[in-house]
Amino acid sequence: MCGRTACTLGPDELCKACSTQIVTSDGKKQYQAPQWQDHPGNYSYTPSCNMAPSRFTPVMISEHHVRGTKRAIEGEGLSPQYVIHPMMWGLIPPYYKGSSRTGHGYSTTNCRYEGIEEKKTYKPSLTKGQRCVVLCDGFYEWQTTKGDKNKQPYFIHAPQPEGVEIWNRESWDKPDVWSEEEGWKGPHLLKMAGLFSSWLSTEGEKVMSYSVLTMESGKKFSSLHHRIPAILETNQEVEDWLDFGRIGYKEALVILKNEVEVEWHPVSKTVNNSRNQEPNMNAPVSLDKKPPETASSKLMSAWLSKGTVKKESPSITPIKKETVVSNEKEEKPFSFKNWLKKECDNSASNK
């Protein structure tokens, strides 16, 4: 399953990170970034290392969903056009009638690949071509370690370019991180297949929401968890998943696979609580049982090593054992029997 993600890039950075190469009308090759579109109303996207369900996070959709068309207009261009749109994580069932966007009571954070065509919650999105790509730095998964009742969280992300650490902004945030000539040189985002829906509350409020498709894990990832999101690794896979006019949903589902190249590392258990919003929670940590050395513990150690004087054992000269010979006769121990015999002998001699 996928129940927590990290998405730390701003809207402009997200668009540039999803740029694709196009050929202009004059035959020139250049990179083009998707457009950003805000969610209607007061709902907005805020970057975070600890995204939980019901938060509004960025997803990429075909521009035809925005324009209301199904196929590109003839002569308009052959390059696919995308829009990045924040949506609520947790698809609102299309049959739900209510005033609260989270009041339906169903668990729709993930939608299982198996039997998805029969689910009345997701079938309308499939048939309408409402397919999206969920964008994030990566997602968290919890593994129960041997002999430990607590679950250890891991951060799973796409393979990164050399020298780029997706959890360390200083490793990639440079002035030339993107250009029309070279495209995006920053971190590679993780792109997951999803379905989205547009819902209207009884109060007339419009909410866009989505669900992440999950599958049985392949051989590599099964060592960490038995399910994995449907990850799209290439630009062609992204294009095929989003192009609902060219590729029907049955064919699109066949594209999805569970054997993908991902990397993961253990992270701090502070991510267990979704209210924790500290930065860099997706950074690697050591699983060494020894507690990490803090500034105060370092100061104490230095003070103790400086103030402690090593005590040396006094030099002791061993004493030679000698036999002492006494000139006096050795006194025999007192015996009542001998004393009584002596007294009797004295009485007899005095008579």
Side-chain angles (χ1 to χ4, degrees):
M1 62 174 294
C2 176
R4 204 76 61 77
T5 66
C7 195
T8 61
L9 303 189
D12 183 62
E13 292 171 326
L14 284 164
C15 291
K16 290 176 178 177
C18 295
S19 58
T20 54
Q21 194 175 57
I22 64 169
V23 179
T24 61
S25 56
D26 57 359
K28 181 182 178 181
K29 290 183 179 181
Q30 69 178 41
Y31 284 87
Q32 178 175 288
Q35 293 182 332
W36 178 272
Q37 177 160 323
D38 290 325
H39 192 284
N42 296 322
Y43 300 116
S44 60
Y45 158 68
T46 302
S48 169
C49 261
N50 199 2
M51 289 286 193
S54 79
R55 290 282 298 270
F56 282 75
T57 77
V59 303
M60 189 160 60
I61 59 176
S62 169
E63 67 165 350
H64 302 306
H65 287 296
V66 179
R67 292 171 49 182
T69 60
K70 191 171 183 179
R71 293 181 182 275
I73 300 174
E74 186 176 355
E76 186 176 313
L78 300 177
S79 302
Q81 301 293 310
Y82 307 129
V83 173
I84 297 181
H85 195 307
M87 297 185 187
M88 187 184 78
W89 187 6
L91 189 143
I92 303 173
Y95 50 82
Y96 168 62
K97 305 295 181 183
S99 58
S100 171
R101 60 188 173 86
T102 58
H104 52 81
Y106 294 95
S107 177
T108 57
T109 303
N110 301 153
C111 50
R112 296 172 68 91
Y113 178 87
E114 303 83 1
I116 191 173
E117 296 179 71
E118 286 73 44
K119 300 291 184 180
K120 62 178 183 179
T121 301
Y122 307 114
K123 184 64 179 288
S125 294
L126 275 175
T127 56
K128 293 177 183 178
Q130 293 175 326
R131 307 196 295 257
C132 64
V133 174
V134 182
L135 306 173
C136 60
D137 299 3
F139 68 98
Y140 298 97
E141 197 55 83
W142 281 259
Q143 181 187 50
T144 303
T145 55
K146 187 176 181 181
D148 189 355
K149 293 182 180 180
N150 297 320
K151 292 184 177 181
Q152 172 60 48
Y154 286 80
F155 182 65
I156 298 92
H157 58 89
Q160 298 299 309
E162 185 178 357
V164 172
E165 297 174 331
I166 198 167
W167 57 88
N168 179 14
R169 176 173 280 269
E170 292 183 358
S171 70
W172 59 267
D173 192 2
K174 300 174 177 60
D176 61 345
V177 71
W178 185 85
S179 66
E180 288 186 347
E181 293 74 29
E182 298 183 274
W184 177 254
K185 292 185 287 185
H188 289 173
L189 297 179
L190 196 71
K191 299 172 182 178
M192 303 181 290
L195 297 174
F196 76 93
S197 179
S198 178
W199 174 78
L200 198 65
S201 74
T202 53
E203 306 297 324
E205 180 185 49
K206 182 180 180 180
V207 180
M208 308 289 286
S209 61
Y210 72 89
S211 182
V212 177
L213 267 75
T214 64
M215 318 172 75
E216 285 288 337
S217 296
K219 184 177 180 180
K220 179 181 178 180
F221 194 73
S222 61
S223 62
L224 184 64
H225 200 272
H226 66 283
R227 295 197 67 81
I228 187 173
I231 296 171
L232 305 168
E233 296 183 280
T234 66
N235 288 337
Q236 187 61 54
E237 290 175 352
V238 169
E239 181 180 341
D240 291 344
W241 179 252
L242 293 181
D243 194 346
F244 63 98
R246 178 173 58 89
I247 297 179
Y249 78 83
K250 289 183 179 294
E251 186 181 353
L253 289 174
V254 175
I255 296 171
L256 305 179
K257 58 186 186 299
N258 61 0
E259 287 288 358
V260 292
E261 288 298 321
V262 290
E263 299 174 356
W264 61 84
H265 57 254
V267 295
S268 169
K269 290 183 180 179
T270 56
V271 77
N272 292 357
N273 190 334
S274 61
R275 289 175 293 184
N276 292 334
Q277 293 296 314
E278 292 86 351
N280 302 325
M281 283 192 290
N282 55 347
V285 299
S286 172
L287 293 183
D288 190 350
K289 295 299 181 181
K290 182 180 179 180
E293 194 174 22
T294 61
S296 58
S297 65
K298 288 180 180 179
L299 184 63
M300 179 62 74
S301 298
W303 181 80
L304 289 173
S305 62
K306 185 177 181 181
T308 303
V309 178
K310 184 178 180 181
K311 294 183 178 180
E312 297 183 358
S313 301
S315 178
I316 301 176
T317 304
I319 300 176
K320 185 177 181 181
K321 196 172 183 181
E322 297 180 354
T323 303
V324 179
V325 180
S326 176
N327 293 327
E328 299 180 359
K329 292 183 179 179
E330 184 179 356
E331 186 178 355
K332 295 181 179 179
F334 173 79
S335 171
F336 179 76
K337 183 178 179 181
N338 292 338
W339 176 81
L340 184 60
K341 184 177 181 299
K342 185 177 181 181
E343 289 295 318
C344 291
D345 292 342
N346 291 338
S347 296
S349 62
N350 292 331
K351 287 181 180 181

